[in-house]
Amino acid sequence: MTSLILRTATRYMFPPLLVFSIYLLLRGHHLPGGGFVGGLTAGSAFALYALSFSVAAARKLLRIDPFDMIATGLFIALISGLPPLLSGEAFLTGIWWEIPIRPSVTVSLGTPIIFDIGVYLVVLGVLLSLVFLLAEEE
Amino acid sequence: MFTLLTFCFAAALLAPWLHRRLPAYAGAVLALAPASVFIWLFFQLPAVMHGHPVEQSFLWVEGLDLEFALRLDGLSLLFALLISGIGTLILFYTQGYFKGHPQQGRFLMYIIAFMTSMLGVVLSDHLLLVFIFWELTSFTSYLLIGFNHEKEAARTAALQAMLVTVLGGLFLLVGSILLAQAAGTWRISEIIQRGAEIQAHAHYLPILILICIGAFTKSAQFPFHFWLPNAMQAPTPASAYLHSSTMVKAGIYLLARLHPALGGTEEWAAILIPIGTITFLLGAVMAIGQTVLKRLLAYTTVSALGAMILLLGLGTPYTIKAMMGFVLAHALYKATLFMIAGGITHETGGETSIDKLGGLRKAMPISFACALLAGLSMGGFPPFLGFVAKETWLHALGDYPLLMIATMIGGAAYVLVGFSIGWRPFMGEMPAGLHAHEMPPAMRVGPIILAVACLGLAFFAGTTGHTLIEPAASAIAGTPLKVHLHLWAGFNKYLVISLATLAIGIGFYRARPLWLNLAQRMAGWARFGPDATYQKLFASILKFAAWQTRLLQTGHLRHYIRYIVLATTVLVFTAFLRAGGLHKLEGLTPLTVRTGALAVLMILATVATVHSKSRLRSILSMGVVGYCMALLFTFFGAPDLAMTQLVIETLTVILMALAFYHLPSFRHSSSVRTHAIDLTIAIGGGVVVTLLVLAALDVQTPTPISDYYLEHSYTKAHGRNVVNVILVDFRALDTLGEITVLTLAALGAGALLKLRPKKKEDRP
């Protein structure tokens, strides 16, 4: 598929899609979104790129192998469950820290966000590994 | 004791590493583990002798009430001494036997792991713990028999031994559970004090039968005896250890251990005595016709195990004493003979048949001496331990003339076998072309010590009886017994019988060619034997498996989907009807124009999907269905779902399009019949799911779990988006499982995609 229109459109759509996917990931805890849908969105961005340019180009853009990404994601998700064990709580219990940014603003960060990042990476990796492998044989 | 067991298991794990580091001395270094156990046990002897068992326990699994309870009493002590003592010598022997063998480390690991499991069996005081170690011995023995895994015979024999013993293990497990229920406790030390209670229990007979099957399979009793001679595929160190002195005695140990609880009844005698006698005679008679060194020994082992069961079945104080004496004597001479047999084969370049051996006395003088001592002990010649044991044994059978005759026949066969190994290969002329030399020192240590023990312990028969046999026999009987063993018990009728047996045995040995001839003629009968039955059963199971695989696994994706959908539909529908079906239709949201329009669009798209002649169009139509679904979700206030559905639909279309790109275009459509079947199944599935959804409206749980999530989402989990909080916090473990499954799916799909043949022309 070599369509100039698609390529041009992809060039413009790719960065916002990625940013949007991360936005979805991060806002997930309070508003619709989350690691799963975030990963899927990022996956469609890369799939779009692979279809309009080439799989090789998409792989180059991704830099790391999708399977490595899956492993990393799974590892992160697993690790995020460990901190509560230190304080004697059950595996994967959410632990939150209040991080002061300015005197009036604090941000709460917790292990569930780390877990969600893991989910994001696994979903993205699984999707891309399949898309790349299927599209590569053309 | 726990420390020692852990230490030994650690030694097993270290074995391969140690062998890489110290290839020449690994066996000797590792022998420190069993040797330290042996020394420790030796120091417990005085306390145990005076009736003070060593106990240790801690809670292992709280919810199951599973205690790691260990107990060392007289019976355990004798077995543990044999296991660790012979184990130490076997490790030395292994070092010599496998000298320069690259896989020696692996063998050492298996055999030490086996030894530790066996120690576990005899030390455990908890029925489940016994079972765990019991299965571990089956498993490690599988590894040992199948050590030469390039040989098919070894693999088959290993599998056979494991199937038979593990099957028996399952019977044992059920028997143990029933026994623990009947006794009200898992602790063996308590169970054996509640004998009367257990024997009056309604389940007494099933318990007895189940445990006996477990013990009989392990101890190679008729009709399960066939696996033991076949297990001779194992390397000799393993045969000498497992199949003579330790593992096969696990069944004997267990029955002896439970004798106070289960024994002494008519049922006990009715099961143990006939089986024991048959096995004893069968093993002895089968042994006579054998020519291969190890098989000769294997059949006499079967026979000896039968004798132990027989003596245990009689259950009088005399027979129990005789049995324990025989256990000790048998372990010593049988391990020696096995080691010598392995040594002969090893040093003559692989000769296994006794008829092709001869004149080895000059080349292997030390082996000859050891073999002769052990062979004489086996035959029951004075002044060896075997003689002492046989004397006690005959004494104990004083009231049973028939069994006495059986013992004489069996005993004569033992004489024959003892001579066949201890005498025949070493005497006469060396056949041309046979080269032999003495075993290396590492292999000599074991046979020398054990052979000397065969002789030495007989001279200290009184002390042996008092320190070793007495505590063990007392533990079996459940009451303190006095054991007085004598090398010279005076001139009485038992001595005459014993000497007569020896004379008959020598006669048997002289007539050996006759027996061999007879055995050859009888060989055809084997196809009616238990081994053949096992083979037939095994083959028919494989055939059945092949048949049902052919039936179910057609290899067509279409069929698999059919099975899955049909099974799910039928099962769900049955459950649905059983739960009361659909009661009423209330509280349905009225149909608005926009939802109605969406529904119509979805139906049209579905029809288009099915009817389309091109795959791409089908997929796109299916995408339309999905998008409509996403829209429905937004109408009903589920933005998370809608969003995910939208992206998923898009990606599904992309993935499917990519996958279908590789397929040929529709050439021929399915038949009308296939269409009709698929349509029926699809409609059925749809209807059931619809019914289920409608019924779900009506389900009222006392306190919906969703309330809890809504309430605590922000206060406990700092999140306002409940859907996401459930995913990453409340039910994070589920999500972790899901992403793991996703990973596996990707790996599987990745492997399939990467491994497919490149192009048609490339295929062979």
Side-chain angles (χ1 to χ4, degrees):
Chain A
M1 258 191 281
T2 46
S3 149
L4 189 63
I5 298 172
L6 187 63
R7 282 191 174 187
T8 316
T10 305
R11 263 191 234 285
Y12 284 104
M13 277 167 69
F14 185 73
L17 269 173
L18 272 194
V19 173
F20 181 61
S21 82
I22 291 168
Y23 166 73
L24 278 176
L25 162 71
L26 292 181
R27 78 174 207 149
H29 218 61
H30 291 303
L31 295 162
F36 194 72
V37 72
L40 288 176
T41 312
S44 33
F46 276 100
L48 187 64
Y49 197 89
L51 289 180
S52 49
F53 293 91
S54 71
V55 175
R59 272 195 196 275
K60 217 172 137 195
L61 195 67
L62 187 66
R63 278 159 197 256
I64 60 171
D65 188 81
F67 282 109
D68 292 345
M69 189 178 251
I70 301 177
T72 317
L74 208 55
F75 186 68
I76 290 175
L78 199 68
I79 291 292
S80 81
L82 296 182
L85 294 181
L86 295 178
S87 51
E89 284 181 89
F91 180 58
L92 284 171
T93 309
I95 290 193
W96 291 86
W97 299 279
E98 303 284 333
I99 297 165
I101 290 183
R102 263 178 283 158
S104 56
V105 183
T106 56
V107 172
S108 6
L109 272 181
T111 51
I113 289 172
I114 301 172
F115 183 80
D116 226 6
I117 292 172
V119 174
Y120 177 93
L121 289 177
V122 172
V123 171
L124 178 59
V126 168
L127 202 68
L128 289 185
S129 60
L130 293 183
V131 169
F132 286 174
L133 280 172
L134 277 171
E136 234 157 13
E137 294 290 318
E138 284 176 44
Chain B
M1 282 183 272
F2 177 69
T3 323
L4 285 172
L5 286 180
T6 321
F7 175 58
C8 288
F9 270 127
L13 284 178
L14 275 179
W17 174 81
L18 197 70
H19 176 247
R20 270 200 297 279
R21 276 298 166 89
L22 281 172
Y25 301 104
V29 175
L30 288 164
L32 283 175
S36 57
V37 175
F38 186 81
I39 292 166
W40 182 83
L41 288 166
F42 199 75
F43 282 108
Q44 309 306 315
L45 205 59
V48 174
M49 238 174 78
H50 293 104
H52 303 292
V54 188
E55 290 181 331
Q56 187 186 20
S57 78
F58 59 87
L59 207 55
W60 186 11
V61 185
E62 204 168 348
L64 292 176
D65 227 6
L66 180 52
E67 280 170 296
F68 204 102
L70 302 174
R71 188 168 190 270
L72 182 74
D73 67 353
L75 181 60
S76 309
L77 184 66
L78 179 57
F79 273 93
L81 278 173
L82 284 176
I83 294 164
S84 56
I86 297 181
T88 310
L89 300 175
I90 287 288
L91 288 183
F92 276 105
Y93 184 80
T94 306
Q95 185 188 309
Y97 188 85
F98 277 126
K99 193 170 181 206
H101 192 293
Q103 298 285 323
Q104 190 192 341
R106 185 160 67 91
F107 186 84
L108 285 168
M109 175 167 78
Y110 294 164
I111 203 153
I112 300 174
F114 165 78
M115 183 199 74
T116 318
S117 317
M118 195 62 211
L119 277 175
V121 170
V122 299
L123 292 179
S124 302
D125 193 29
H126 192 286
L127 277 176
L128 280 182
L129 208 56
V130 171
F131 173 75
I132 291 168
F133 283 120
W134 180 281
E135 293 296 78
L136 271 177
T137 61
S138 295
F139 175 65
T140 41
S141 131
Y142 166 77
L143 294 174
L144 284 167
I145 300 172
F147 180 73
N148 292 322
H149 52 77
E150 293 92 353
K151 272 168 67 187
E152 199 196 340
R155 292 200 304 270
T156 319
L159 188 63
Q160 186 183 52
M162 183 158 87
L163 285 178
V164 173
T165 52
V166 168
L167 187 75
L170 292 180
F171 282 97
L172 174 70
L173 178 63
V174 179
S176 301
I177 293 170
L178 285 177
L179 177 60
Q181 276 179 353
T185 172
W186 287 100
R187 290 291 277 262
I188 297 171
S189 50
E190 290 166 20
I191 289 173
I192 56 178
Q193 284 168 2
R194 299 185 190 169
E197 212 176 304
I198 293 164
Q199 291 175 9
H201 198 274
H203 290 155
Y204 169 67
L205 194 60
I207 292 173
L208 182 64
I209 292 172
L210 288 168
I211 289 186
C212 278
I213 293 177
F216 288 172
T217 49
K218 197 79 160 180
S219 287
Q221 296 298 298
F222 176 84
F224 306 112
H225 63 276
F226 56 89
W227 71 263
L228 184 58
N230 291 345
M232 291 302 124
Q233 289 292 338
T236 304
S239 308
Y241 192 42
L242 273 70
H243 308 123
S244 68
S245 45
T246 54
M247 177 169 117
V248 290
K249 292 211 176 97
I252 310 286
Y253 165 80
L254 187 76
L255 287 176
R257 166 58 71 214
L258 294 174
H259 175 259
L262 299 173
T265 61
E266 280 173 20
E267 294 93 334
W268 170 274
I271 295 175
L272 266 69
I273 295 175
I275 296 282
T277 315
I278 293 173
T279 314
F280 171 59
L281 286 177
L282 186 81
V285 171
M286 301 273 280
I288 295 174
Q290 302 296 325
T291 55
V292 175
L293 281 168
K294 279 172 79 182
R295 286 186 82 86
L296 253 168
L297 290 171
Y299 277 109
T300 50
T301 306
V302 170
S303 162
L305 294 166
M308 291 171 201
I309 292 287
L310 161 66
L311 291 171
L312 194 59
L314 290 168
T316 65
Y318 287 117
T319 58
I320 288 173
K321 287 180 220 168
M323 176 200 140
M324 281 325 290
F326 184 51
V327 166
L328 180 64
H330 174 258
L332 295 179
Y333 71 67
K334 199 47 86 51
T336 313
L337 289 176
F338 259 115
M339 287 197 238
I340 299 290
I344 291 173
T345 307
H346 195 255
E347 303 307 330
T348 55
E351 190 49 62
T352 55
S353 168
I354 50 171
D355 291 321
K356 292 183 187 151
L357 291 166
L360 293 176
R361 64 186 180 283
K362 283 189 192 119
M364 308 175 76
I366 298 174
S367 303
F368 177 43
C370 296
L372 193 62
L373 292 181
L376 290 175
S377 182
M378 178 174 188
F381 285 87
F384 292 92
L385 196 59
F387 171 73
V388 178
K390 186 152 289 175
E391 195 82 334
T392 331
W393 175 355
L394 288 168
H395 237 289
L397 290 183
D399 303 331
Y400 310 94
L402 272 179
L403 293 177
M404 193 85 100
I405 294 169
T407 309
M408 284 177 75
I409 300 172
Y414 283 22
V415 175
L416 184 150
V417 175
F419 272 117
S420 299
I421 293 173
W423 185 259
R424 197 183 153 78
F426 299 97
M427 302 314 281
E429 283 299 307
M430 213 151 130
L434 191 71
H435 299 284
H437 33 81
E438 185 54 83
M439 299 194 285
M443 287 171 76
R444 263 181 263 158
V445 180
I448 292 174
I449 293 180
L450 293 175
V452 169
C454 286
L455 186 63
L457 287 184
F459 284 105
F460 298 98
T463 321
T464 311
H466 186 58
T467 51
L468 290 174
I469 312 292
E470 188 175 295
S474 304
I476 301 174
T479 49
L481 296 177
K482 286 274 163 227
V483 175
H484 301 288
L485 293 184
H486 306 285
L487 184 53
W488 176 249
F491 194 81
N492 51 33
K493 66 170 176 179
Y494 302 112
L495 183 66
V496 177
I497 295 174
S498 187
L499 293 177
T501 310
L502 293 181
I504 299 172
I506 294 170
F508 268 22
Y509 177 67
R510 293 258 159 203
R512 199 165 162 271
L514 201 74
W515 301 123
L516 290 182
N517 200 347
L518 199 65
Q520 257 176 4
R521 288 200 199 160
M522 305 274 276
W525 287 29
R527 76 189 125 113
F528 304 109
D531 193 12
T533 315
Y534 164 86
Q535 304 289 2
K536 267 180 213 151
L537 208 65
F538 193 69
S540 57
I541 289 175
L542 287 184
K543 234 183 232 168
F544 175 73
W547 172 77
Q548 66 108 6
T549 307
R550 266 201 312 280
L551 190 76
L552 292 176
Q553 311 283 335
T554 57
H556 289 286
L557 188 59
R558 189 173 65 218
H559 292 164
Y560 294 138
I561 293 177
R562 245 188 224 171
Y563 297 149
I564 293 170
V565 174
L566 194 66
T568 315
T569 311
V570 170
L571 288 175
V572 169
F573 190 62
T574 321
F576 177 71
L577 286 183
R578 281 177 130 195
L582 193 59
H583 294 298
K584 50 186 175 177
L585 275 176
E586 276 177 14
L588 293 182
T589 325
L591 197 67
T592 58
V593 179
R594 57 178 187 178
T595 43
L598 264 182
V600 171
L601 189 58
M602 279 167 91
I603 292 168
L604 285 177
T606 312
V607 173
T609 308
V610 178
H611 264 281
S612 169
K613 287 272 176 271
S614 114
R615 286 205 179 88
L616 201 58
R617 228 176 291 155
S618 281
I619 306 163
L620 287 175
S621 311
M622 219 162 83
V624 172
V625 180
Y627 278 166
C628 291
M629 189 70 109
L631 269 178
L632 271 181
F633 284 144
T634 54
F635 291 165
F636 292 105
D640 268 292
L641 281 180
M643 198 156 58
T644 312
Q645 175 84 20
L646 215 60
V647 190
I648 289 265
E649 264 333 305
T650 314
L651 287 165
T652 310
V653 169
I654 294 178
L655 279 178
M656 286 256 209
L658 285 175
F660 284 174
Y661 180 84
H662 300 284
L663 294 178
S665 59
F666 281 133
R667 282 215 192 100
H668 46 83
S669 195
S670 317
S671 68
V672 180
R673 190 166 155 265
T674 323
H675 270 307
I677 294 173
D678 288 347
L679 189 68
T680 322
I681 294 175
I683 289 176
V687 167
V688 167
V689 171
T690 311
L691 284 173
L692 215 58
V693 170
L694 287 175
L697 282 175
D698 202 32
V699 176
Q700 297 283 331
T701 47
T703 47
I705 187 80
S706 48
D707 285 355
Y708 171 86
Y709 288 145
L710 286 172
E711 210 171 293
H712 294 95
S713 173
Y714 192 67
T715 51
K716 285 208 171 151
H718 299 249
R720 287 197 199 89
N721 179 4
V722 185
V723 176
N724 190 257
V725 168
I726 291 174
L727 281 176
V728 299
D729 197 330
F730 291 138
R731 309 298 302 262
L733 195 62
D734 289 358
T735 311
L736 189 64
E738 280 155 19
I739 56 176
T740 312
V741 170
L742 211 55
T743 307
L744 291 177
L747 284 177
L752 283 176
L753 286 172
K754 275 193 173 161
L755 288 178
R756 75 186 145 161
K758 287 274 183 298
K759 272 193 183 119
K760 270 197 176 158
E761 301 91 78
D762 293 350
R763 281 188 209 162

